């Protein structure tokens, strides 16, 4: 999963948004509607990240940390059920 | 929203190895080519994560060719089309040599020579280590240079048929797609369509296949393409390590000589697969681990402690993600063992999908298919991913050449506008009304129904029928209630629906084949029946029939050189008492 996007490093180049095969990253307005500070990159659908690391590989300022930690949904792993 | 229209001689759907090679070959032959991809070419599908490609180190011939073929035919449990195997081995050499010339960075030794290595599934055949992403980047640049039109972030939702019928009696004339973020409709007209849509898996965050859920399989099915090998649609893996993380590159890990051990340190694979042992296929290893666990000999471990430092270095070189993952979790393979997490789901391994002939042509004129998204003429059942990527290139090349011959005789076809509107209206339906079911809920329900030991590993007629009924209920009662508030959710809604259609089709095929072979193990028919079942199960959607209609296709063993053993061969696979057939 994407553990962290360092917004201090991120320069908003959008590459991660384009390279994500499951399309889970988005650029959104930062702040409140009445006080927009600019833009920020967020993981809009964190449950759908499949830890492929393409965003981290493509990020040219190394702002994205992806762990290999992965949770296969429990119903697909429980073979003791009959 | 304004519709975008595209016209070309050839439309390629899916931008993996096969799609890219098909597009390049068609362009080289002077065809205009459009390639549409749901993600971005070189950042999509299993091609991106490949660690090696099947690559003969020479043009083999004579007895040697036969020995190499034998490996595939035996590995495919005698289901392989031997004419396909022969052309595959010969052309795999040509295709990989082309890749080398294009500058794909294959793994080399210290002297700068290509390093041909062995991998799971092959004792003779060789493979080359390669970073799939780097390979796809080379192909992407090449396609741009050859003026292939890349249309990305667009999901194809339906194929267009010449007679507007589904299933069609005519030919394929194009496709309809939507942009995955904006929903902008895209309409493609083409003389020929080449599918390279990858496998279908459930969305379980594994094998980086979450965006490969069978949309194009399902579209080809609705259009009336004949399918084969659906009874073998079982995908399994074992590298969900320590219940915490996973890395691709399982074949490579097996290739360096991994040991699979149970809790008492016994190497158990010999017992389950006397021929391949620890180089066995993913399903065979996963089911062995699960059986060891069920019978109280688990948990099971992967042991690399005996592997030389040099071999681990090679493993890390060709599978950098293995090194990264081991580092992240502080695993030292020379000291630590890893607990194995196996699973088995309904999904493609490498023998389930549209049936293709020697030129990658499907049963519908104008429609070709290659790669994971085909029956792979049952070529590589049980054999590693490195084989499929080269197969995809061989098929793509052949499809492009055949499509070129076809296209010389044709004009760009016209399409029925009314039909396009109907397709789009049906697609956007889940957005119109507020309903309660999320697509992710349905994935969990699919898991609960299909990932039980009794169905996944110990099938009987009764158990398969039970699963079919449950999946059908899911399709009829839950799918129409899915709510999609935005484009992202809408795409997911269709993904789960299409997967469910393919899973149900696979279950029907599992029911039809009354024997055990490869990825299909039936407790009620625990033997490989070479007297009655040296056949493919072909299946088609037939107008007016609710359930799929099968025909049995005898394999051409009168003609082929490699002969199977005759009679009934009992399966060596032990069945725990509680999973024996209920009387």
């Amino acid at each position: 999963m994407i553990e962290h996007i360092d917004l201090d490093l991120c320069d908003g180049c959008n590459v991660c948004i384009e390279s994500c095969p499951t399309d889970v990253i988005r650029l959104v307005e930062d702040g409140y509607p009445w006080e927009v500070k600019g833009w920020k990159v967020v993981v809009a659908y964190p449950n759908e990240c499949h830890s492929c690391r393409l965003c981290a590989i493509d990020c040219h300022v190394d702002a994205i940390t992806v762990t290999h930690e992965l949770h296969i949904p429990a119903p697909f792993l429980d073979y003791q059920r009959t | 929203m304004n519709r975008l229209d595209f016209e070309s001689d050839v439309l390629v759907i899916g931008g993996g190895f096969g799609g890219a090679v098909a597009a390049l070959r068609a362009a080289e032959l002077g065809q205009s080519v459009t390639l549409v991809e749901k993600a971005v070419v070189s950042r999509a599908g299993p091609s991106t994560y490949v660690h090696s490609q099947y690559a003969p180190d020479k043009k083999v011939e004579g007895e040697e060719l036969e020995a190499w073929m034998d490996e595939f035919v035996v590995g495919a449990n005698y289901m392989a089309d031997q004419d396909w195997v022969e052309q595959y081995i010969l052309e795999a050499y040509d295709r990989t040599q082309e890749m080398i010339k294009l500058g794909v960075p294959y793994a080399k030794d210290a002297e700068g020579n290509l390093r041909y290595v062995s991998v799971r599934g092959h004792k003779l055949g060789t493979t080359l280590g390669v970073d799939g992403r780097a390979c796809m980047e080379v192909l992407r640049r090449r396609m741009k240079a050859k003026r292939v039109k890349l249309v990305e972030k667009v999901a194809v939702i339906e194929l267009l048929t010449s007679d507007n019928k589904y299933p069609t009696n005519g030919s394929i004339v194009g496709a309809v797609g939507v942009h995955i973020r904006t929903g902008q409709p895209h309409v493609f007209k083409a003389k020929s369509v080449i599918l390279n849509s990858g496998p279908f898996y459930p969305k379980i965050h594994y094998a980086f296949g979450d965006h490969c859920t069978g949309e194009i399989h399902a579209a080809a099915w609705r259009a009336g393409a004949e399918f084969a090998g659906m009874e073998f649609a079982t995908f399994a893996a074992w590298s969900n390590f320590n219940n915490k993380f996973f890395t691709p590159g399982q074949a490579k890990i097996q290739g360096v000589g991994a040991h699979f051990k149970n809790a008492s340190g016994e190497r158990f694979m010999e017992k389950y697969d006397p021929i391949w042992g620890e180089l066995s296929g993913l399903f065979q290893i996963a089911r062995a681990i699960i059986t060891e666990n069920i019978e109280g000999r688990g948990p099971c471990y992967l042991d690399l402690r005996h592997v030389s430092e040099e071999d681990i270095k090679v493993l890390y070189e060709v599978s950098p993600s293995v090194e990264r993952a081991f580092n992240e979790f502080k695993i030292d393979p020379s000291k630590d063992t890893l607990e194995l997490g196996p699973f088995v789901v309904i999904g493609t391994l490498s023998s389930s999908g549209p049936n293709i002939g020697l030129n990658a042509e499907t049963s519908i004129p104008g429609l070709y298919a290659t790669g994971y998204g085909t029956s792979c003429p049952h070529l590589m059942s049980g054999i590693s991913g490195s084989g499929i990527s080269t197969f995809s290139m061989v098929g793509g090349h052949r499809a492009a050449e055949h499509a070129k011959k076809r296209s010389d005789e044709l004009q760009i076809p016209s399409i029925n506008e009314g039909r396009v509107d109907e397709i789009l209206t049906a697609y956007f339906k889940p957005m119109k009304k507020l309903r309660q079911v999320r697509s992710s809920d349905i994935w969990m329900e699919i898991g609960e129904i299909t990932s039980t030991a009794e169905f996944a590993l110990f099938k009987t007629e009764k158990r398969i029928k039970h699963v079919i009924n449950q999946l059908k209920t899911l399709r009829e009662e839950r799918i129409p209630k899915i709510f999609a508030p935005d484009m992202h959710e809408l795409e997911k809604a269709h993904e789960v629906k299409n997967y469910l259609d393919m899973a149900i089709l696979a279950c029907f095929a599992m029911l039809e084949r009354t024997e055990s072979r490869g990825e299909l193990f039936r407790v009620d028919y625990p033997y490989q029946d070479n007297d009655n079942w040296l056949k493919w199960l072909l299946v088609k959607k037939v107008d007016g029939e609710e359930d799929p209609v099968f025909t049995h296709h005898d394999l051409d063993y009168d003609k082929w050189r490699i002969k199977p053993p005759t009679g009934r061969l009992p399966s060596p696979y032990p069945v725990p008492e509680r999973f024996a057939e209920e009387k």
Side-chain angles (χ1 to χ4, degrees), chain B residues 191-238:
Chain B
K191 297 176 190 171
S192 302
V193 176
I194 301 174
L195 309 179
N196 180 227
S197 56
F200 66 89
Y201 300 133
K203 270 188 192 288
I204 49 172
H205 313 328
Y206 194 88
F208 306 148
D210 272 16
H211 52 313
C212 295
T213 44
E215 284 89 275
I216 304 300
H217 280 81
W221 172 255
R222 289 190 292 268
E226 186 175 68
F227 277 47
M230 290 304 285
E231 67 275 33
F232 302 118
T234 294
F235 176 75
W238 46 262

Coordinates of all heavy atoms in Angstrom, one line a residue, chain B residues 191-238:
Chain B
K191 N -11.0 -2.7 -39.4 CA -11.2 -3.9 -40.3 C -10.9 -5.2 -39.4 O -11.6 -6.2 -39.6 CB -10.3 -3.9 -41.5 CG -10.5 -2.7 -42.4 CD -9.4 -2.7 -43.5 CE -9.4 -1.5 -44.4 NZ -8.3 -1.5 -45.3
S192 N -9.9 -5.1 -38.6 CA -9.6 -6.2 -37.7 C -9.4 -5.7 -36.3 O -8.9 -4.6 -36.1 CB -8.3 -6.9 -38.2 OG -8.5 -7.4 -39.5
V193 N -9.7 -6.6 -35.3 CA -9.5 -6.2 -33.9 C -8.6 -7.3 -33.3 O -8.9 -8.5 -33.4 CB -10.8 -6.1 -33.2 CG1 -10.6 -5.8 -31.7 CG2 -11.7 -5.0 -33.8
I194 N -7.6 -6.9 -32.6 CA -6.7 -7.9 -31.9 C -6.8 -7.6 -30.4 O -6.5 -6.5 -29.9 CB -5.2 -7.7 -32.4 CG1 -5.1 -7.9 -33.9 CG2 -4.3 -8.7 -31.6 CD1 -3.7 -7.6 -34.5
L195 N -7.2 -8.7 -29.7 CA -7.3 -8.6 -28.2 C -6.0 -9.0 -27.5 O -5.5 -10.0 -27.9 CB -8.5 -9.5 -27.7 CG -9.8 -9.3 -28.4 CD1 -10.8 -10.3 -27.8 CD2 -10.3 -7.9 -28.3
N196 N -5.6 -8.2 -26.6 CA -4.5 -8.6 -25.7 C -4.8 -8.0 -24.3 O -4.1 -7.2 -23.8 CB -3.2 -7.9 -26.3 CG -2.0 -8.3 -25.5 OD1 -1.2 -7.4 -25.1 ND2 -1.8 -9.5 -25.1
S197 N -5.8 -8.6 -23.8 CA -6.4 -8.0 -22.6 C -6.0 -8.6 -21.3 O -6.5 -8.2 -20.2 CB -7.9 -8.0 -22.7 OG -8.3 -9.4 -22.9
G198 N -5.0 -9.5 -21.4 CA -4.5 -10.0 -20.1 C -5.4 -11.1 -19.5 O -6.4 -11.5 -20.1
P199 N -5.1 -11.5 -18.3 CA -5.9 -12.5 -17.6 C -7.1 -12.0 -16.9 O -7.4 -10.8 -17.0 CB -4.9 -13.0 -16.5 CG -4.1 -11.7 -16.2 CD -4.0 -10.9 -17.4
F200 N -7.9 -12.8 -16.3 CA -8.9 -12.3 -15.4 C -8.7 -12.9 -14.0 O -8.4 -14.1 -13.8 CB -10.3 -12.5 -15.9 CG -10.8 -14.0 -15.9 CD1 -11.4 -14.6 -14.9 CD2 -10.7 -14.7 -17.1 CE1 -11.9 -15.9 -14.9 CE2 -11.1 -16.0 -17.2 CZ -11.7 -16.6 -16.1
Y201 N -8.7 -12.1 -13.0 CA -8.5 -12.4 -11.6 C -9.6 -11.7 -10.8 O -10.1 -10.7 -11.2 CB -7.2 -11.9 -11.0 CG -5.9 -12.4 -11.7 CD1 -4.9 -11.5 -12.0 CD2 -5.7 -13.8 -11.9 CE1 -3.7 -11.9 -12.6 CE2 -4.5 -14.2 -12.5 CZ -3.5 -13.3 -12.8 OH -2.4 -13.7 -13.4
P202 N -9.9 -12.2 -9.6 CA -10.7 -11.4 -8.7 C -9.8 -10.2 -8.2 O -8.6 -10.4 -8.2 CB -11.1 -12.3 -7.6 CG -10.1 -13.4 -7.6 CD -9.6 -13.5 -9.0
K203 N -10.4 -9.2 -7.7 CA -9.6 -8.1 -7.1 C -9.1 -8.4 -5.7 O -9.8 -8.2 -4.8 CB -10.5 -6.8 -7.1 CG -10.4 -6.0 -8.3 CD -11.2 -4.7 -8.0 CE -11.5 -3.9 -9.2 NZ -10.3 -3.2 -9.8
I204 N -8.0 -9.1 -5.7 CA -7.5 -9.4 -4.3 C -6.1 -8.8 -4.1 O -5.4 -9.3 -3.2 CB -7.4 -11.0 -4.2 CG1 -6.6 -11.6 -5.4 CG2 -8.7 -11.6 -4.0 CD1 -6.3 -13.0 -5.3
H205 N -5.8 -7.8 -4.8 CA -4.5 -7.0 -4.6 C -3.3 -7.9 -4.9 O -2.2 -7.7 -4.3 CB -4.4 -6.4 -3.2 CG -5.6 -5.7 -2.8 ND1 -6.4 -5.1 -3.6 CD2 -6.2 -5.6 -1.5 CE1 -7.4 -4.5 -2.9 NE2 -7.3 -4.8 -1.7
Y206 N -3.5 -9.0 -5.6 CA -2.4 -9.9 -5.8 C -2.0 -10.0 -7.2 O -2.8 -9.8 -8.1 CB -2.8 -11.3 -5.3 CG -1.6 -12.2 -5.1 CD1 -0.9 -12.2 -3.9 CD2 -1.2 -13.0 -6.2 CE1 0.2 -13.1 -3.8 CE2 -0.1 -13.8 -6.0 CZ 0.6 -13.8 -4.8 OH 1.7 -14.6 -4.7
A207 N -0.7 -10.3 -7.4 CA -0.2 -10.5 -8.8 C -0.4 -9.3 -9.7 O -0.3 -9.3 -10.9 CB -0.8 -11.7 -9.5
F208 N -0.6 -8.1 -9.0 CA -0.8 -6.9 -9.7 C -1.8 -7.0 -10.8 O -1.7 -6.4 -11.9 CB 0.5 -6.4 -10.3 CG 1.6 -6.3 -9.3 CD1 2.9 -6.5 -9.7 CD2 1.3 -6.0 -8.0 CE1 3.9 -6.4 -8.7 CE2 2.3 -5.9 -7.1 CZ 3.6 -6.1 -7.4
G209 N -2.9 -7.8 -10.5 CA -3.9 -8.0 -11.6 C -5.2 -7.4 -11.2 O -6.2 -7.8 -11.8
D210 N -5.2 -6.4 -10.3 CA -6.5 -5.9 -9.9 C -7.3 -5.2 -11.0 O -8.5 -5.0 -10.9 CB -6.3 -4.9 -8.7 CG -6.3 -5.6 -7.4 OD1 -6.2 -6.9 -7.4 OD2 -6.5 -5.0 -6.4
H211 N -6.6 -4.8 -12.0 CA -7.3 -4.1 -13.1 C -7.5 -5.1 -14.3 O -7.9 -4.7 -15.4 CB -6.6 -2.9 -13.6 CG -5.1 -3.1 -13.9 ND1 -4.3 -3.7 -13.1 CD2 -4.4 -2.7 -15.0 CE1 -3.1 -3.8 -13.6 NE2 -3.1 -3.1 -14.8
C212 N -7.2 -6.4 -14.1 CA -7.4 -7.4 -15.1 C -8.6 -8.3 -14.6 O -8.3 -9.3 -13.9 CB -6.2 -8.2 -15.4 SG -4.9 -7.2 -16.1
T213 N -9.8 -7.9 -14.9 CA -10.9 -8.7 -14.3 C -11.8 -9.3 -15.4 O -12.9 -9.8 -15.1 CB -11.8 -7.7 -13.4 OG1 -11.9 -6.5 -14.2 CG2 -11.1 -7.4 -12.1
G214 N -11.3 -9.3 -16.6 CA -12.0 -10.1 -17.6 C -13.0 -9.3 -18.4 O -13.9 -9.9 -19.0
E215 N -12.9 -8.0 -18.5 CA -13.8 -7.2 -19.3 C -13.8 -7.6 -20.7 O -14.9 -7.7 -21.4 CB -13.5 -5.7 -19.3 CG -13.8 -5.0 -18.0 CD -12.6 -5.1 -17.1 OE1 -12.6 -6.1 -16.4 OE2 -11.8 -4.2 -17.1
I216 N -12.6 -7.9 -21.3 CA -12.6 -8.2 -22.7 C -12.9 -9.6 -23.0 O -13.5 -10.0 -24.0 CB -11.2 -7.8 -23.3 CG1 -10.9 -6.3 -23.0 CG2 -11.1 -8.0 -24.8 CD1 -11.9 -5.3 -23.6
H217 N -12.6 -10.5 -22.0 CA -13.1 -11.9 -22.1 C -14.6 -11.8 -22.2 O -15.2 -12.5 -23.1 CB -12.7 -12.6 -20.8 CG -11.4 -13.1 -20.7 ND1 -10.3 -12.4 -20.3 CD2 -10.8 -14.4 -20.9 CE1 -9.2 -13.1 -20.2 NE2 -9.5 -14.3 -20.6
A218 N -15.2 -11.1 -21.3 CA -16.7 -11.0 -21.3 C -17.2 -10.4 -22.5 O -18.3 -10.9 -23.1 CB -17.2 -10.3 -20.0
A219 N -16.6 -9.4 -23.1 CA -17.1 -8.7 -24.3 C -17.0 -9.7 -25.5 O -17.9 -9.8 -26.3 CB -16.3 -7.5 -24.6
A220 N -15.9 -10.5 -25.5 CA -15.7 -11.4 -26.6 C -16.7 -12.5 -26.5 O -17.3 -13.0 -27.5 CB -14.3 -12.0 -26.6
W221 N -17.0 -12.9 -25.2 CA -18.0 -13.9 -25.0 C -19.4 -13.5 -25.5 O -20.1 -14.2 -26.2 CB -18.1 -14.2 -23.5 CG -19.2 -15.1 -23.1 CD1 -20.3 -14.8 -22.4 CD2 -19.3 -16.5 -23.3 NE1 -21.1 -15.8 -22.2 CE2 -20.5 -16.9 -22.7 CE3 -18.5 -17.5 -23.9 CZ2 -21.0 -18.3 -22.8 CZ3 -18.9 -18.8 -23.9 CH2 -20.1 -19.2 -23.4
R222 N -19.8 -12.2 -25.1 CA -21.1 -11.7 -25.5 C -21.2 -11.6 -27.0 O -22.2 -11.9 -27.6 CB -21.3 -10.3 -24.9 CG -21.6 -10.3 -23.4 CD -22.0 -9.0 -22.9 NE -21.0 -8.0 -23.0 CZ -20.2 -7.7 -22.0 NH1 -20.2 -8.3 -20.8 NH2 -19.3 -6.7 -22.1
A223 N -20.1 -11.3 -27.7 CA -20.0 -11.2 -29.1 C -20.1 -12.6 -29.8 O -20.3 -12.7 -31.0 CB -18.8 -10.4 -29.6
G224 N -19.9 -13.6 -29.0 CA -20.1 -15.0 -29.6 C -18.8 -15.7 -29.9 O -18.9 -16.7 -30.6
A225 N -17.7 -15.2 -29.4 CA -16.4 -16.0 -29.6 C -16.5 -17.3 -28.9 O -17.0 -17.4 -27.8 CB -15.2 -15.2 -29.1
E226 N -15.9 -18.3 -29.5 CA -15.8 -19.6 -28.9 C -14.7 -19.6 -27.9 O -13.6 -19.1 -28.2 CB -15.5 -20.6 -30.0 CG -15.5 -22.1 -29.6 CD -15.3 -22.9 -30.9 OE1 -14.2 -22.9 -31.4 OE2 -16.3 -23.6 -31.3
F227 N -14.9 -20.2 -26.7 CA -13.9 -20.2 -25.7 C -13.4 -21.7 -25.5 O -14.1 -22.6 -25.9 CB -14.5 -19.7 -24.3 CG -14.5 -18.2 -24.2 CD1 -14.9 -17.4 -25.2 CD2 -14.0 -17.7 -23.0 CE1 -14.9 -16.0 -25.0 CE2 -14.0 -16.3 -22.8 CZ -14.5 -15.5 -23.9
A228 N -12.2 -21.8 -24.9 CA -11.7 -23.1 -24.6 C -10.9 -23.1 -23.3 O -10.5 -22.0 -22.9 CB -10.8 -23.6 -25.8
G229 N -10.8 -24.2 -22.7 CA -10.0 -24.4 -21.5 C -10.6 -23.7 -20.3 O -9.8 -23.5 -19.3
M230 N -11.8 -23.3 -20.3 CA -12.4 -22.6 -19.1 C -12.4 -23.5 -17.9 O -12.3 -23.0 -16.7 CB -13.8 -22.1 -19.4 CG -13.8 -21.0 -20.4 SD -12.8 -19.5 -20.0 CE -13.8 -18.8 -18.7
E231 N -12.4 -24.8 -18.0 CA -12.4 -25.7 -16.9 C -11.1 -25.6 -16.1 O -11.0 -26.1 -14.9 CB -12.7 -27.1 -17.3 CG -11.7 -27.8 -18.1 CD -11.8 -27.6 -19.6 OE1 -12.2 -26.5 -20.0 OE2 -11.4 -28.5 -20.4
F232 N -10.0 -25.1 -16.7 CA -8.7 -25.0 -16.1 C -8.5 -23.6 -15.5 O -7.4 -23.2 -15.1 CB -7.6 -25.3 -17.0 CG -7.7 -26.7 -17.6 CD1 -7.9 -26.8 -19.0 CD2 -7.7 -27.8 -16.8 CE1 -8.0 -28.1 -19.6 CE2 -7.9 -29.1 -17.4 CZ -8.0 -29.2 -18.7
A233 N -9.6 -22.8 -15.4 CA -9.5 -21.4 -15.0 C -9.4 -21.3 -13.4 O -10.3 -21.0 -12.7 CB -10.7 -20.5 -15.4
T234 N -8.2 -21.8 -13.0 CA -7.9 -21.7 -11.6 C -6.6 -21.1 -11.4 O -5.6 -21.5 -12.0 CB -7.9 -23.1 -10.9 OG1 -9.2 -23.7 -11.0 CG2 -7.4 -23.1 -9.5
F235 N -6.5 -20.0 -10.7 CA -5.3 -19.3 -10.4 C -4.9 -19.5 -9.0 O -5.7 -19.3 -8.1 CB -5.4 -17.8 -10.8 CG -4.1 -17.0 -10.5 CD1 -3.0 -17.2 -11.3 CD2 -4.0 -16.3 -9.3 CE1 -1.8 -16.5 -11.0 CE2 -2.8 -15.6 -9.0 CZ -1.7 -15.7 -9.9
A236 N -3.6 -19.8 -8.8 CA -3.2 -20.0 -7.4 C -1.8 -19.4 -7.3 O -1.1 -19.2 -8.3 CB -3.1 -21.5 -7.2
A237 N -1.4 -19.2 -6.1 CA -0.1 -18.7 -5.8 C 0.3 -19.1 -4.3 O -0.5 -19.5 -3.6 CB 0.0 -17.2 -6.0
W238 N 1.6 -18.9 -4.0 CA 2.0 -19.3 -2.7 C 2.8 -18.2 -2.0 O 3.2 -18.4 -0.9 CB 2.8 -20.6 -2.7 CG 3.8 -20.6 -3.8 CD1 3.7 -21.2 -5.1 CD2 5.1 -20.1 -3.8 NE1 4.8 -21.0 -5.8 CE2 5.7 -20.3 -5.1 CE3 5.9 -19.3 -2.9 CZ2 7.0 -19.9 -5.5 CZ3 7.2 -18.9 -3.3 CH2 7.7 -19.2 -4.5

